[in-house]
């Protein structure tokens, strides 16, 4: 009883309909995928990240043996909050050959194509396995995938290569920056705003710290190296979240902000936090004169290792063949590719859609990109079926 062959675009619409914003559970989409595979006789296992809310799914098509190819992708998406969408972000609509919806490019398009090709993978009788590794909580710092990478490295026949399907417009990417995320918490001293001199304004101190980050970012820009293929070709510094204060007429006691640096190799990971600390030290004496409880604390909340180009990597040569490309590139966003590489499994990034459209309102993927990804999968099926 062969189930009907669904098209990648049907599957894309089904996957996008699950609101898998990272703060939500991803169990429903995993149930759907698990059931889809199950109906095709493909068993899958879950590797939980947070029991009861977040899980990763791993499935093997073909023989249980080493040397397989992992298709890796995340099931979560970034929030649509505050974004101006011209249509429902969780309902795919087609306009001029492109498919609009949250996650179409980043990266449910890749998942949809991989799933649509499962019947073909089954039919061709694979000599080497194709694995699906669908993860959670990627958009919040490649978190969910960590126990998953560990599990794959420790408990499964070792794969030969991992293809991470982040949107690269089907170009082969063999390098990405590393990311370091920090949270800075400013503790000031509360006062009535008419007596501002008796308080320490945590929001305004945070403003000075953020200004310092701007100056550091400018310095780093001066050290650009365009020879490495990154865009932009320098280390970036960015503040993504800020919160503080309770009312207009209260000198705010607290302000916190979350920031990151994305490092151009081989920049020193400690440089930016050290400069921030040194600058904070210049602000503290004046704050402490008002109250000893004042402080500025910065903590590292997450790091994602970079992906280093590997000479004669089997992942790279395979991906170049599958994508019919003849050169590699580098990207500035982090992926789980660096984590797989750290675990000793060669990894490469190649997926449909453009990062230009990711994370933005009216995110879309061109139908032609889905087609190119399907062709990639057809070649993969042939490659893995060859004796
Ligand atoms: Zn992504």
């Amino acid at each position: 009883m062969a189930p009907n062959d669904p098209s990648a675009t049907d599957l894309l619409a089904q996957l996008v309909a699950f609101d898998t914003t990272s703060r939500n559970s991803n169990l429903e989409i995993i149930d759907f995928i698990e059931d889809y595979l199950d109906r095709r006789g493909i068993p899958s296992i879950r590797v939980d990240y947070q029991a009861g809310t977040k899980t990763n799914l791993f499935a093997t098509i073909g023989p249980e043996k080493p040397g397989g190819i992992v298709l890796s992708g995340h099931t979560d998406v970034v929030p649509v909050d505050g974004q101006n969408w011209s249509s429902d972000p969780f309902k795919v609509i087609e306009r001029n050959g492109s498919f609009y919806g949250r996650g179409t490019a980043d990266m449910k398009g890749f998942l949809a194509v991989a799933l649509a090709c499962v019947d073909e993978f089954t039919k061709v009788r694979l000599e080497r396995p194709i694995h699906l590794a669908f993860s959670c909580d990627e958009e919040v710092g490649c978190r969910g995938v960590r126990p998953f990478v560990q599990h794959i490295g420790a408990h499964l026949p070792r794969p030969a290569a991992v293809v991470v399907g982040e949107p690269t417009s089907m170009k082969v990417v063999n390098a990405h920056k590393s990311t370091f995320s920090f949270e800075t918490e400013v503790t000031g001293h509360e006062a009535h705003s008419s007596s501002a001199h008796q308080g320490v304004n945590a929001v305004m101190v945070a403003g000075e710290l953020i200004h310092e980050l701007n100056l550091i970012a400018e310095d780093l820009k001066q050290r650009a190296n365009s020879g490495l293929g990154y865009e932009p070709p320098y280390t970036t510094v960015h503040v993504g979240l800020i919160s503080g204060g309770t009312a207009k007429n209260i000198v705010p006691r607290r302000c916190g902000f979350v920031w990151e640096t994305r490092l151009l190799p081989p920049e020193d990971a400690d440089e930016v936090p050290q400069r921030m600390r040194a600058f904070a030290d210049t602000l503290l004496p004046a704050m402490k004169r008002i109250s000893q409880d004042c402080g500025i604390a910065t903590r590292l909340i997450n790091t994602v290792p970079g992906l280093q180009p590997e000479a004669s990597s089997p992942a790279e040569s395979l991906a170049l063949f599958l994508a019919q490309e003849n050169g590699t590139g580098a990207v500035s966003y982090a992926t789980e590719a660096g984590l797989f590489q750290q675990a000793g499994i060669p990894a490469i990034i190649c997926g449909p859609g453009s990062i230009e459209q990711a994370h933005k309102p009216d995110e879309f993927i061109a139908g032609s990109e889905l087609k190119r990804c399907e062709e990639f999968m057809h070649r993969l099926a042939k490659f893995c079926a060859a004796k």
Side-chain angles (χ1 to χ4, degrees), residues 177 228-234 236 264 330-333 356:
K177 292 179 179 175
L228 300 173
Y230 290 99
E231 176 58 32
Y234 46 82
T236 54
L264 189 76
V331 294
S332 295
Y333 53 88
E356 288 294 314

Side-chain angles (χ1 to χ4, degrees), residues 177-181 260-263 302-306 332-334:
K177 292 179 179 175
S178 55
T179 307
F180 293 79
S181 311
E260 62 166 32
T261 69
R262 290 175 186 253
L263 254 59
N302 193 34
T303 67
V304 183
S332 295
Y333 53 88

